[in-house]
Amino acid sequence: MLISTFYSQHVKHNCSEAVEIKQTRFKKVGVLMKELEKEGLLVVKEAKKGVFNITEVNFSHECLRRVKRLEKEEEGEEEEEEENIAVVQAFTCNAHVLPLFSKYGRKKGDIMLRKAMREHVTEYIRTKNLTNESNKKLVTLDPLLSSVMKTRDLTAPWNQIMQKVESNCGKCFVITLPDKFPITVKGDLPPIQFKVEKRTGNKKVTIVSNFEIFGIEAKELAQKLQHVMSSSASVVPGLKAGESNVLVQGDARRLASKLLLDQYRIPKTYVASS
């Protein structure tokens, strides 16, 4: 992840007060990232001249572990031994909706969770006094809202406005992995798939695909499937360049599904029916 993206979408977005790096002792985002790297919190590498990426976050660092403990104490939760993978639908700020969301500091390509996106829309409507005086459930559409919603209607109910704005944003998913940096997937998020094929001698093999997007390493998954199936499992190239699948001897759909749900704690929605 670019250090500029990390700062704008994660640091500034999660601060209760506006944070301007120029007003701090660091002056530049790159200087702040280097300081955090010295502290052992993350790893920054130069992708190309002048472009720096965060390639690794040390979630076992005491600072981050302390934040987690404080969050749980505030919520009255007990420390959990295992954390689930969380998948949340989010939205990207594309060129069509940018005129609205740029008023709230958003830039093209920014990721917005549904709550934040709806808060922006609500704030705009209330700031512009667009709520219909005779019917509070209706909103009078000004030229900007009409454009973002792609409608010629003069009024619309609140829920329709939210639905229209959502549908005209870009679609993406944010996958939060325990002790790893969140993964953002633009477009649809396909489930982990199982495909059973017959090979020479009428023997069956199972091909497992689409698991890498959930932070699962192919080699590790192959080793675990080999153990639970008591049969050979290997890493094979996927259909897309750079993609890996796992090939298991026999029909591994049921046991592979159980492994992904129980050990990797993948949400059931994203594991294809076995």
Side-chain angles (χ1 to χ4, degrees), residues 94-112:
N94 56 27
H96 184 74
V97 299
L98 184 60
L100 172 60
F101 294 118
S102 63
K103 295 180 180 296
Y104 303 99
R106 299 290 183 175
K107 297 178 181 178
K108 187 177 179 181
D110 278 2
I111 296 167
M112 302 178 289

Side-chain angles (χ1 to χ4, degrees), residues 1 4 53 80 96 169 216 222 232 235 268:
M1 176 182 284
S4 57
N53 286 334
E80 295 179 358
H96 184 74
C169 289
I216 300 173
S232 65
V235 178
K268 194 172 183 179

Side-chain angles (χ1 to χ4, degrees), residues 99-128:
L100 172 60
F101 294 118
S102 63
K103 295 180 180 296
Y104 303 99
R106 299 290 183 175
K107 297 178 181 178
K108 187 177 179 181
D110 278 2
I111 296 167
M112 302 178 289
L113 296 180
R114 178 176 276 114
K115 181 182 178 183
M117 186 208 65
R118 293 192 169 209
E119 284 175 351
H120 292 331
V121 175
T122 300
E123 185 176 347
Y124 178 81
I125 291 170
R126 289 178 175 165
T127 301
K128 296 291 184 178

Side-chain angles (χ1 to χ4, degrees), residues 143-188:
L144 180 54
L145 273 181
S146 297
S147 173
V148 171
M149 291 174 63
K150 297 181 180 180
T151 182
R152 295 183 180 179
D153 294 340
L154 299 178
T155 62
W158 281 86
N159 62 338
Q160 184 181 336
I161 292 171
M162 298 301 180
Q163 289 169 4
K164 285 278 189 180
V165 173
E166 280 187 13
S167 65
N168 291 327
C169 289
K171 186 179 180 182
C172 70
F173 291 85
V174 178
I175 305 172
T176 304
L177 309 168
D179 294 336
K180 291 184 181 179
F181 209 75
I183 297 171
T184 302
V185 182
K186 291 186 177 180
D188 293 323

